[in-house]
Every structure is written in C-alpha cells, then in structure tokens.
Amino acid sequence: MSVTNIGMNQLFPTQKRVQSSSMLDVTLYLNNTGLMWESAAEFGALLVFAEHRYYGESKPYSGSKLQNNMQYLTAEQAMADYAELLAELKSDLQAEQSPVIGFGGSYGGMLASWMRMKYPHVLDGAIAGSAPIWAFPGEDPPVDSGAFAKIVTRDATPAGGSAKACAGNLRNAWKQLKEWGSNDEGRGHIKEAMQLCPAANLSNDDDVDTLAQWAQNAFDYLAMGDYPYPSNYMLNGQGVLPAYPMRAACQPLSQQGMTGSALLEGLHQAVGTFYNFSGHLPCYNYSEGPNPEGEEDSNFWDYQACTEMVMPFSRNGEDDMFWKQPWDLKAFGKQCKEQWGVTPRPYWAQIKSVTSALFVKGCNEPDLCLCSDAILSTKHSFLVTLWLVVSCIGLTSHSTPACCHDQLQLMHELAKSEQCSVHAMQTQTQCSICGTAGDPGQPGIILGFSLN
C-alpha cells in the first residue's frame, strides 16, 4: 500500500498591515522543498500538494464577491477541506487503511500540527517546520512578543554572519529618519538620500513612519529568507535573492559610525536587496512591495490576522535594531473593525497537547523563539514519535553542520527520553536525522500542507 504526501505551506507574515505576506503559489513551494521528496521516495509515497482556500486558484467566488464573503476564510475550514480531500483520496486509491503524515512550513506547519490535534483519526503524524504555534496570547509559558525582532537583529550581527556595524547603523537610521522627518527641509533630504520616486509623497510625520515601516519590512523578509543559497522563494518566484541576503543587505551599512545622508543612502542600498532585487529600479515607491504578485494574498492574510492569526509582535529598539513599537491589542482590534468589520479572537489557537508530531526550525529563522524549543521543554503532553530527514533550515534539502550539531544534540536527548531509535548522518554539506518509533515498515500516507 503506497504512502501519500500532501503539501500545504504558507509563509508566516510578521506585520499585519504594512508587511506583505507572500502567500506563495503551490508550485513555487513544491519546487523549494526537499524533505517530502526524499521521504516520499523512501516510503513509496504518493506526493500531493493541496492548495488552501482563497489562495492561488482556489477561490470560491470571483471579483468583488470574493471580498464580500471573507467569512469562509478560516483555518478550521481549511483543515476540514484537507480532511475531506484525504477521505476522497483514500477512497479513490483504495487506501482506507493507510496512515497519513502531514508536513508544512510556517503557517503550513501550524496547520499540520493543528490538524494532528483536531483530526487525530485523519492525520497520524505531523512534521512542522518553523511553525510558530507558540506565538499566540494565552500560552504557558507566555509568548515573547519581541522574539521575532530579536532574531531578525541577530541575523544582522556577526552572530548571523553580517557586518559588525550593521545593526547599530540601522538603529541610528531610524533615528535619522525621525529627526529629518519632522520638517520640510529634512524630508527633502530623506527623499534624496533614499532615492524616492517623485510620486512617493513625503509631506508629514505619518508618511515618514510609513517609509520606516516599509524599510523595516525588508529586513524581516530578508531574515525569513536568509538561506545559504540563492532563492526565489521570498519573491514569489519573480526574482532571486542572493545567498545569505541579510549579509548582502548589511554590506552598505558596514562602516562604523555612519551618519546623515551617507547613513540613509546605506539604508537605501540595504533595502534594495529585497525591493530592488533586479537592480533596475530607478527610484523607490514605499507604497509598493517588490512585485505585485503577493498583494491580493497579503490582503487575505490581513483578514486572517484580524480573525484567528492574532500573533503579538513588538519591538523596543534595545533588544533589537528597530524602534519602540509596543503590542496593543485594543488598537489592533480597532483597526480590524475598521478594515474588515471583524473582532480578533486572540485566544483561538491555545494549545493543549499533541502526539506524533515533530517540530523543526532553522537557527537563523525569526520564528525560532516561537517554535519547538518552547513546546518541547514544557510539561504539556507533547510526544515526538516519528523522525524523518530533518534539515537545519526547516523542510528544505540544504543544511549547515554547525547549526545541525545543536539540533542533533537536542533530538538525541528527546529521542532517548521517548525511547525513539535515531540514526544521525552528518557530512560537510548536509545533516539529517532519520528513524522511527515503532515499526519502520508500516505503510502510510505523508500529508503535507501547501496553501497555494
């Protein structure tokens, strides 16, 4: 009896309003993954990638009618879709007795683990890469709302392989924007140094704040896509970021003590790693992202963030390289009511327990503090019972030995505590873990979550 792999993945956005969320086309995710391809071949699996409702081509309505019927865009209904799909697949393939393993990255990893909790009779196990299921209010231990920004900052320091002066110069760049943004003359200097387009209006403090948020978002995305190889994943397949893009972005900010126009010119070049990936933009319009492909998807994630995906994010300018941005649930709820007519449900995603779930993450990922370590170190009844190939950067086929060493230590300890049999393999370019708890020859279905 064959195994089935079904893929569901969604990139995790970090800011509700300003940050676009890059909900990726299912084929882009399909071509940027490694683990499920390796596992499917080993188990003789059928590999299926299922698209999340409302994203990609899976839209229940067309035109303006879609925007007027957003109430059907929920994680619960998406999981129910997958459960129905599995039932039909099993029937069509005459594989009713085959177990199912779910996989996914980021939001897709959240769906994989939640589906294992909600539908344990449908999903027999889950492999969740960089799944920030600990990022919601009401968890114990409580979420650190500043965790994401801290890891983004780490990637812009020597600890992440970046220039020593980068994070400090960025802190000063925001201060420079605020200082010059307070008057017409200063805003003129900003527009010149940042090479803003003539149509990019910069006439008041609010405009300057929006510009700063736009620039900040670039670093968030560069951290989330800080892969050790060139990748088109963060750009919706419409361009390629260099290997270790955060390091590339930090190069224009590598001189100690940068100030004034030189500092903002450095900021302009740094954010160009993301926004001007082609190198062909003559100027910047801070109301636009790197390409238009993700705008609709970003809008839909905005709706999800206003209903169920209420994940607190804050920055303080001390533990991170940004400026003070406290989390304010009341203000957030007011924005959601004005934009969508909905009230956030901040405690929707509280976790109880899950078995047969494996949580993996990369060492440089901003979701680092919202994922597996917090889960696996608590007294909740989380039990790891299935181990497959694990890479340091999540579900891709690339890895780095230094990073893998730390994960190997953790996984060996976990495996020992759960009586798992673990075999580790390490080479100069790849580090992986394989093995199972129980009968490794048991046939099954590997279900993965790829949203669009």
Side-chain angles (χ1 to χ4, degrees):
M1 198 170 293
S2 67
V3 184
T4 301
N5 249 332
I6 303 181
M8 308 168 209
N9 184 70
Q10 186 121 355
L11 203 62
F12 172 53
T14 64
Q15 294 281 23
K16 174 186 168 288
R17 297 244 165 240
V18 180
Q19 178 125 356
S20 65
S21 53
S22 294
M23 308 307 193
L24 307 179
D25 179 89
V26 66
T27 57
L28 184 63
Y29 175 65
L30 182 151
N31 290 320
N32 277 275
T33 51
L35 181 149
M36 58 286 300
W37 296 102
E38 299 161 1
S39 301
E42 180 180 353
F43 287 95
L46 170 65
L47 182 60
V48 181
F49 288 80
E51 192 166 75
H52 192 293
R53 56 169 58 202
Y54 282 73
Y55 295 105
E57 298 182 10
S58 300
K59 294 179 171 59
Y61 303 98
S62 59
S64 60
K65 192 174 182 181
L66 185 65
Q67 292 276 0
N68 295 329
N69 288 278
M70 297 296 289
Q71 69 271 23
Y72 304 115
L73 175 54
T74 67
E76 296 101 322
Q77 292 182 89
M79 288 187 283
D81 291 341
Y82 300 144
E84 289 285 341
L85 174 61
L86 279 170
E88 292 190 21
L89 279 173
K90 284 189 169 187
S91 177
D92 292 346
L93 298 172
Q94 297 182 343
E96 286 83 357
Q97 301 306 310
S98 292
V100 180
I101 303 299
F103 65 81
S106 196
Y107 175 43
M110 297 159 79
L111 290 173
S113 56
W114 288 338
M115 192 168 177
R116 171 59 188 159
M117 299 175 201
K118 187 175 180 65
Y119 296 100
H121 62 294
V122 174
L123 202 65
D124 296 87
I127 303 171
S130 302
I133 63 173
W134 218 260
F136 295 87
E139 298 296 352
D140 181 20
V143 60
D144 176 5
S145 63
F148 185 95
K150 293 174 185 175
I151 302 299
V152 174
T153 300
R154 178 189 179 277
D155 290 351
T157 68
S162 296
K164 183 178 181 180
C166 183
N169 280 330
L170 278 171
R171 283 193 186 94
N172 291 330
W174 314 125
K175 296 174 184 177
Q176 188 74 72
L177 284 175
K178 185 174 181 61
E179 178 185 340
W180 279 0
S182 62
N183 58 75
D184 291 339
E185 181 181 0
R187 288 191 288 270
H189 292 321
I190 293 173
K191 197 162 186 176
E192 181 179 357
M194 293 291 292
Q195 295 185 30
L196 300 184
C197 298
N201 189 35
L202 202 68
S203 59
N204 53 50
D205 290 346
D206 289 342
D207 290 340
V208 176
D209 288 344
T210 303
L211 171 64
Q213 287 282 354
W214 174 85
Q216 174 181 267
N217 291 341
F219 294 100
D220 291 348
Y221 269 106
L222 292 172
M224 289 190 288
D226 203 22
Y227 305 130
Y229 48 86
S231 172
N232 65 355
Y233 192 64
M234 304 304 295
L235 294 171
N236 296 300
Q238 303 303 309
V240 178
L241 291 178
Y244 293 113
M246 183 66 87
R247 299 180 187 181
C250 277
Q251 279 305 305
L253 295 166
S254 59
Q255 295 184 17
Q256 292 283 356
M258 297 175 70
T259 60
S261 294
L263 177 59
L264 294 190
E265 288 169 4
L267 178 62
H268 160 266
Q269 294 179 51
V271 300
T273 307
F274 182 64
Y275 290 118
N276 191 18
F277 58 88
S278 68
H280 297 152
L281 285 181
C283 58
Y284 291 161
N285 187 336
Y286 62 85
S287 65
E288 297 177 353
N291 53 57
E293 282 73 20
E295 289 183 8
E296 180 183 64
D297 292 342
S298 176
N299 198 34
F300 291 166
W301 179 263
D302 186 75
Y303 174 83
Q304 287 191 262
C306 273
T307 52
E308 299 172 336
M309 303 298 146
V310 184
M311 292 173 273
F313 286 94
S314 66
R315 305 171 199 244
N316 61 23
E318 297 176 2
D319 300 314
D320 56 63
M321 61 185 184
F322 303 104
W323 65 94
K324 190 173 182 180
Q325 300 167 65
W327 167 251
D328 187 337
L329 179 59
K330 186 175 181 180
F332 178 82
K334 182 180 179 181
Q335 291 178 338
C336 291
K337 194 71 174 178
E338 293 173 353
Q339 175 73 17
W340 296 105
V342 297
T343 300
R345 299 161 56 196
Y347 303 104
W348 169 83
Q350 287 189 18
I351 303 166
K352 293 184 179 179
S353 64
V354 62
T355 61
S356 299
L358 173 62
F359 296 85
V360 299
K361 66 185 185 304
C363 296
N364 290 338
E365 296 178 34
D367 298 343
L368 177 70
C369 298
L370 307 172
C371 303
S372 56
D373 285 352
I375 297 168
L376 297 174
S377 65
T378 67
K379 300 301 182 181
H380 292 74
S381 57
F382 285 86
L383 176 64
V384 178
T385 59
L386 174 68
W387 298 77
L388 294 171
V389 179
V390 177
S391 153
C392 268
I393 53 175
L395 299 178
T396 69
S397 58
H398 303 266
S399 186
T400 55
C403 173
C404 279
H405 176 75
D406 296 335
Q407 286 203 7
L408 279 171
Q409 291 292 107
L410 171 63
M411 290 181 176
H412 273 297
E413 293 174 8
L414 289 169
K416 183 177 179 181
S417 68
E418 305 296 351
Q419 287 85 47
C420 274
S421 126
V422 176
H423 169 68
M425 176 184 69
Q426 195 165 358
T427 69
Q428 289 185 345
T429 58
Q430 184 173 350
C431 165
S432 60
I433 298 174
C434 54
T436 61
D439 181 7
Q442 182 67 29
I445 295 176
I446 301 181
L447 165 68
F449 301 87
S450 177
L451 301 192
N452 45 12

